[in-house]
Amino acid sequence: MSRGSLRVYLGAAPGVGKTYAMLSEGHRRADRGTDVVVGFVETHDRPHTAEMLEGLEVMPRREIVHRDATFTEMDVDALLERRPKIALVDELAHSNVPGARNEKRWQDVEELLAAGIDVISTVNIQHLESINDVVEKITGVPQRERVPDAVVRAADQVELVDMSPEALRRRMAHGNIYAATKVDAALGNYFRVGNLTALRELALLWTADKVDEAMQDYRAQHDIESTWETRERVVVAVTGGPEGGTLIRRAARIAARSAGGDLLAVHVTRSDGLTGASPADLAAQRQLVETVGGTYHQVVGDDVARSLLEFARAENATQLVLGGSRRSRLSALVSGPGIGATTIRDAGDIDVHLVTHHQIGKGRRLPHLRGSLTMRRRIQGTALAILLLPLLTFVLTNGQQHLNLVSDVLIFLLLVVVVALVGGVFPAMVAAIGGSLILNYYFVTPTHTFTIRETNNALALGVFIVVAALVSSVVDLAARRTRQAARATAEAETLGTLAGSVLRGETALPALLERVREAFTLTSVTLLERTSSSPSGRVTTARSPADEWTVVATAGVGRCERPQDADTEVPAGDTLMLALRGRPLRAEDQRVVGAFAAQAAVILERHRLSEAAAAAVPIAEGDRMRTALLAAVGHDLRTPLASAKAAVTSLRSDEIDWSPEDYRELLVTADESLDRLARLIDNLLDMSRLQAGALSVVSRPIALDEVVPLALDDLGEAGARAVLDVADDLPLVLADPGLLERVVANLVGNALRYSPADTPPTVTGSSIGDRVELRVIDCGPGIPESALDRVFAPFQRLGDTDNTTGVGLGLALSRGLTEAMGGTLTPEETPGGGLTMVLSLPRALPQADPALRLQPGRRERDDTDDAPKNAWSTS
């Protein structure tokens, strides 16, 4: 059975016409004789959308009962049994009601596709998983219904239903999207022009990426290697040299000239791995590429020009940026055309930019002319040549009657090879020259003179010298390559260890420095940071002897206080330096240490960014609290003040003769408003004290069965509805009586607010080990599991739009007061629906005096300065 195809209509926001377009496509297919069935469509009471359902077969929905309420979902089983050719399924990101066949609707669609049914569906850009957090930052509205990007990307067709923000707002104002009562709120919130413009751009960019992906697949399937200039892609070649920053910035400016241009930086590494740029310089250039919005890539190849062009064509690049050659004129004449000229010649339809820089023509710094072997090996080779030459001469002269000149030359050539293996080029050349002189003097006629009579003998000696020189050079080159290969292997193992530590998430600077110290057998490794030494206080990139240095981290014994104290200095950035003490490091060792230095700089920067982010959290939280507090003051404090003011003003008016009933009603209104205002201010002040850690708590043994009734009395007539089931033989708890009463009153008041009229909340108590639990149980609408922790956030009502009930501090204050008393407050789901708040307090010690139980009606405040405001006296 072949898999069905998926077509998705993507929109930037609700109301752009996704469902309408889907139904229009359904009608078009049905008119052509295709079997089309509407699996699920949500019209949202939009008349034009509902009209489009006429003439199409609509599958009945499946009814699901959840928490005494009936919901409808798509009937997947009926669709699979019906097996239409095409199923129209709206809202791909929809979350099904618990009890449905699948958790998400896109999973239902996957089943239909697997059964060979073609599906046409819809989704908004804000529901894509990868964009969800971006949309929340833009709109401030979290999206709980999400669909994985892979599901939509795997669709056979994705069609964007586009509409300008102005046209969508006009459609909203005409009542074609939401009911008239919701239009003003929607236009002022989610459907602001800025929000719609940002969402539209996200939808366009996501669709463009999907189209580009399809184009790349088509090019790969049809082996198309030529460049299609559908989008500007600029590739810049970096070598790790000093000109890299200039090239990257120039390429970034070229890419920025076209909207949606991409910047790709590529570094070509030799396949033998024996040469390469400094890892620290490459890391710095990679960071610069990412800073300007590009991506960094690395490819392996011996032919740099060919590798660059292959990469550019594979990425469908339109422009290639290269730096002018650093070779000198003499080097260019000797070695022929360089990488730039070769690339321009073979680029074809790719535009090549050859960028000038200050390093052009200055040449590359060559290594020192030295052998690949140690001085000890060269001395041993020279000594061996001096020893073997006379010894071999003595042996050959005694056996001269049995050997000819050819044999003598080959034996001396063997000596040269042996010396080259031991000591390298210089001792081998000494042996070759010495051997040629000895052959001429002792074995070439006339003997015992340096005269050569026969041309053939002269040629043999000349060939001997040339062959000896070539063989010694080849042996020395082989030794050099062997040593370089061993060195490269060691570097790869060291850098592999570094990469492994990065992948494992090791971010401790001392551990990284200790790894460097152990790898290179150093006494100490210190990371230094240069601080300002100028009167202006600015840190410049240029170093001076007067610079001040600070030790950031160190490993080993005898740390360096400044770079001058180190045996080797390795830069780790503009202001960072890795100071190594113990022995001077060779250039190749410093190249490897440069990679560690770059990683140390990244770790330090990441650590400081984390500290800055952590320091910003309380500031942001404080700003959020202040903003919410101002909003609360703007409405919730003004409402009771206005009520009390109106009541008092009416009472003082001489123009109206109030009846006794009206007079009492106005007094009650003023009293209730002022009480509400007092409670609100108390909550705000207590929350402020909790935030500042300034709330005093006086805990003492108290009985729950005496505190809970007092809390219910504070709630007035509403408190009488609550069912109290707290035994009088419960153990005493250790708590502050006044604070505990506040907590219980808040919890019960909250439960009364959301409980059905015929099912009042219940308050129960129990003892579990060394804790005593008080449960406030309601059978209201409950709270989603994902939002349980958010109910304790200050100024949070979780969608409750009734601002007359307070500023949303009740639960936040209750948890804060409970934790201040050493207890916990946790929410649980009530079996059958609703919310249960579990208040757990520590059990008082058995020797607690029973006389400390509160006397009924005694709640006298302690007016001494040292007592907390909410500490109640006991008798």
Side-chain angles (χ1 to χ4, degrees), residues 807-831:
V807 295
L809 277 177
L811 292 179
L813 182 61
S814 297
R815 171 172 272 190
L817 296 177
T818 301
E819 293 176 349
M821 294 185 292
T824 60
L825 182 61
T826 55
E828 295 180 357
E829 184 177 356
T830 302

Side-chain angles (χ1 to χ4, degrees), residues 139-170:
T139 64
V141 179
Q143 301 291 335
R144 295 183 178 85
E145 294 186 334
R146 298 188 286 266
V147 58
D149 286 48
V151 174
V152 184
R153 287 193 179 276
D156 299 273
Q157 296 182 60
V158 176
E159 184 172 332
L160 178 65
V161 182
D162 187 34
M163 178 175 288
S164 68
E166 293 77 11
L168 184 58
R169 284 171 60 85
R170 284 196 301 270

Side-chain angles (χ1 to χ4, degrees), residues 172 244 311 429 782 784 858 873:
M172 171 73 72
F311 175 82
M429 293 304 298
R858 294 293 304 275
S873 65

Side-chain angles (χ1 to χ4, degrees), residues 45 134 177 237 285 334 415 454 550 556 569 586 598 689 696-697 744 806-807 872:
D45 297 327
V134 179
I177 301 177
Q285 292 181 7
V334 173
L415 171 64
E454 298 181 8
T550 303
E569 306 172 23
R586 294 172 297 181
R689 293 190 186 101
S696 299
V697 179
V744 175
V807 295
W872 304 95

Side-chain angles (χ1 to χ4, degrees), residues 252 262-265 286 288-297:
D262 295 334
L263 173 64
L264 301 90
R286 177 173 188 164
L288 177 60
V289 170
E290 294 173 350
T291 301
V292 298
T295 57
Y296 180 86
H297 307 267

Side-chain angles (χ1 to χ4, degrees), residues 99-177:
R101 183 185 182 96
N102 295 299
E103 181 181 358
K104 298 287 187 178
R105 182 162 294 162
W106 63 265
Q107 295 172 327
D108 297 337
V109 170
E110 286 292 324
E111 287 197 36
L112 298 178
L113 295 173
I117 302 173
D118 296 341
V119 177
I120 303 177
S121 188
T122 65
V123 69
N124 278 329
I125 191 67
Q126 69 263 26
H127 295 301
L128 295 181
E129 186 69 51
S130 64
I131 306 178
N132 181 265
D133 56 337
V134 179
V135 174
E136 183 175 354
K137 291 179 183 178
I138 294 172
T139 64
V141 179
Q143 301 291 335
R144 295 183 178 85
E145 294 186 334
R146 298 188 286 266
V147 58
D149 286 48
V151 174
V152 184
R153 287 193 179 276
D156 299 273
Q157 296 182 60
V158 176
E159 184 172 332
L160 178 65
V161 182
D162 187 34
M163 178 175 288
S164 68
E166 293 77 11
L168 184 58
R169 284 171 60 85
R170 284 196 301 270
R171 179 179 288 185
M172 171 73 72
H174 293 160
N176 294 329
I177 301 177

Side-chain angles (χ1 to χ4, degrees), residues 55 77 117 409 416 717 780:
D77 294 326
I117 302 173
V409 170
V416 173
E717 296 180 0

Side-chain angles (χ1 to χ4, degrees), residues 539-785:
V539 180
T540 60
T541 56
R543 287 179 55 183
S544 67
D547 285 340
E548 299 177 359
W549 295 85
T550 303
V551 176
V552 178
T554 185
V557 181
R559 70 181 189 180
C560 300
E561 300 292 339
R562 55 180 185 169
Q564 292 85 341
D565 301 335
D567 295 317
T568 306
E569 306 172 23
V570 178
D574 292 338
T575 60
L576 294 175
M577 181 71 67
L578 209 58
L580 314 176
R581 175 179 287 179
R583 64 182 179 89
L585 293 185
R586 294 172 297 181
E588 53 266 30
D589 288 333
Q590 294 184 32
R591 187 165 63 91
V592 179
V593 174
F596 285 89
Q599 178 62 18
V602 171
I603 291 176
L604 179 62
E605 182 180 6
R606 186 183 305 163
H607 177 68
R608 288 177 173 173
L609 289 175
S610 300
E611 287 182 343
V617 168
I619 298 175
E621 183 65 20
D623 290 341
R624 192 185 70 82
M625 289 284 293
R626 281 190 290 272
T627 302
L629 180 59
L630 290 174
V633 171
H635 180 277
D636 297 275
L637 292 182
R638 185 173 64 245
T639 302
L641 276 175
S643 299
K645 173 67 175 175
V648 173
T649 301
S650 299
L651 290 172
R652 294 184 58 188
S653 175
D654 296 331
E655 299 177 358
I656 302 177
D657 186 15
W658 301 103
S659 65
E661 291 79 9
D662 294 336
Y663 192 84
R664 283 193 298 271
E665 185 176 351
L666 289 174
L667 286 177
V668 169
T669 300
D671 184 59
E672 289 178 349
S673 299
L674 292 175
D675 285 343
R676 178 182 164 201
L677 183 62
R679 286 195 301 269
L680 193 58
I681 293 176
D682 285 343
N683 284 342
L684 290 171
L685 291 177
D686 286 343
M687 179 57 69
S688 177
R689 293 190 186 101
L690 279 174
Q691 297 272 337
L695 182 68
S696 299
V697 179
V698 181
S699 296
R700 63 196 68 177
I702 54 175
L704 286 179
D705 62 305
E706 296 177 350
V707 174
V708 175
L710 296 177
L712 297 181
D713 290 342
D714 285 343
L715 297 174
E717 296 180 0
R721 292 182 52 228
V723 178
L724 185 59
D725 185 16
V726 180
D728 56 4
D729 58 350
L730 280 177
L732 301 181
V733 297
L734 195 63
D736 185 303
L739 299 184
L740 179 58
E741 184 178 337
R742 290 276 301 282
V743 171
V744 175
N746 280 336
L747 296 180
V748 177
N750 193 71
L752 286 168
R753 187 176 305 120
Y754 294 104
S755 294
D758 56 345
T759 310
T762 303
V763 183
T764 65
S766 61
S767 176
I768 303 176
D770 60 347
R771 312 286 293 185
V772 178
E773 289 186 351
L774 187 72
R775 292 176 173 267
V776 180
I777 306 168
D778 70 66
C779 298
I783 297 174
E785 185 177 355

